[in-house]
């Protein structure tokens, strides 16, 4: 972890992963970026990997979508996926949560430090396997969704969404 692997190194690692026999892969802070995550995800789906840590790699929603595909695969063996501070927003969280519905193996999905609205429609706060922890900045509503300055909004409680 924290070695500047970069996209090229990540692609090489992804090529070797399925036959490596690795159980854990810690790539936190390795400057992977979103680009290679698709190949890493495909390799994870074909590997014996149990833990993948891609924290602090700025994979964003694009990387989250690729990983969602991998964890939805019926033969996925990953039990822990750590994606702390990866610039993931609600769209990426929604894809990961949808994939969890098809996965009975994954026990931990750590999304701490991203830009996910904890009360969002994705339901991340409802799944016991998901850790949202702190989020890097508060969820920002678009002007059309913002509450009037009179304070009529209820703060996004469950009763206001159906």
């Amino acid at each position: 972890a924290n070695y500047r692997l970069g996209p090229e190194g990540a692609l090489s690692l992804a090529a070797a992963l399925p036959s490596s026999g690795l159980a854990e892969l810690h790539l936190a802070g390795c400057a992977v970026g979103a680009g290679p995550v698709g190949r890493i995800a495909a390799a994870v789906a074909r590997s014996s990997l149990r833990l993948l840590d891609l924290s602090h790699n700025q994979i964003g929603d694009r990387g989250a979508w690729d990983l969602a595909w991998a964890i939805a695969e019926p033969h996925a063996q990953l039990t822990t996926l750590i994606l702390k501070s990866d610039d993931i927003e609600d769209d990426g969280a929604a894809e990961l949560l949808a994939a969890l519905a098809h996965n009975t193996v994954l026990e931990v999905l750590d999304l701490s430090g991203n830009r996910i609205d904890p009360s969002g429609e994705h339901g991340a706060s409802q799944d016991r396997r998901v850790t949202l922890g702190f989020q890097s900045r508060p969820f920002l509503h678009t002007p059309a969704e913002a509450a009037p300055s009179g304070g009529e909004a209820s703060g996004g409680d469950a009763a206001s969404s159906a």
Side-chain angles (χ1 to χ4, degrees), residues 49-89:
L49 205 62
R50 299 270 187 208
L51 181 147
L52 176 61
D53 184 353
L54 283 171
S55 299
H56 305 281
N57 277 295
Q58 299 175 338
I59 67 168
D61 285 345
R62 178 180 168 196
W65 297 329
D66 289 334
L67 290 165
W69 166 84
I71 63 174
E73 287 292 303
H75 53 281
Q77 297 182 35
L78 203 61
T79 60
T80 304
L81 180 57
I82 306 169
L83 302 174
K84 294 179 182 179
S85 300
D86 268 330
D87 294 333
I88 298 170
E89 297 182 359

Side-chain angles (χ1 to χ4, degrees), residues 12-25 43-44 46-49:
S12 296
L13 185 63
L17 188 58
S19 61
S20 70
L22 285 176
E24 296 186 3
L25 184 57
V44 165
R46 299 185 327 261
S47 76
S48 59
L49 205 62

Side-chain angles (χ1 to χ4, degrees), residues 1-154:
N2 291 319
Y3 174 78
R4 187 161 177 78
L5 187 64
E8 298 82 18
L11 291 173
S12 296
L13 185 63
L17 188 58
S19 61
S20 70
L22 285 176
E24 296 186 3
L25 184 57
H26 298 272
L27 295 175
C30 290
V32 170
V37 175
R39 294 247 184 101
I40 292 171
V44 165
R46 299 185 327 261
S47 76
S48 59
L49 205 62
R50 299 270 187 208
L51 181 147
L52 176 61
D53 184 353
L54 283 171
S55 299
H56 305 281
N57 277 295
Q58 299 175 338
I59 67 168
D61 285 345
R62 178 180 168 196
W65 297 329
D66 289 334
L67 290 165
W69 166 84
I71 63 174
E73 287 292 303
H75 53 281
Q77 297 182 35
L78 203 61
T79 60
T80 304
L81 180 57
I82 306 169
L83 302 174
K84 294 179 182 179
S85 300
D86 268 330
D87 294 333
I88 298 170
E89 297 182 359
D90 286 339
D91 287 344
E95 288 297 317
L96 288 164
L97 267 288
L100 278 181
H102 304 285
N103 182 306
T104 58
V105 178
L106 195 71
E107 298 169 0
V108 175
L109 173 58
D110 192 337
L111 296 171
S112 302
N114 287 288
R115 291 181 271 172
I116 301 165
D117 178 6
S119 62
E121 294 180 16
H122 45 69
S125 62
Q126 304 302 315
D127 193 311
R128 64 172 179 72
R129 299 177 287 178
V130 179
T131 301
L132 288 176
F134 75 94
Q135 294 300 307
S136 63
R137 58 180 126 154
F139 177 74
L140 301 175
H141 293 282
T142 61
E145 296 172 348
S149 58
E152 295 176 12
S154 64

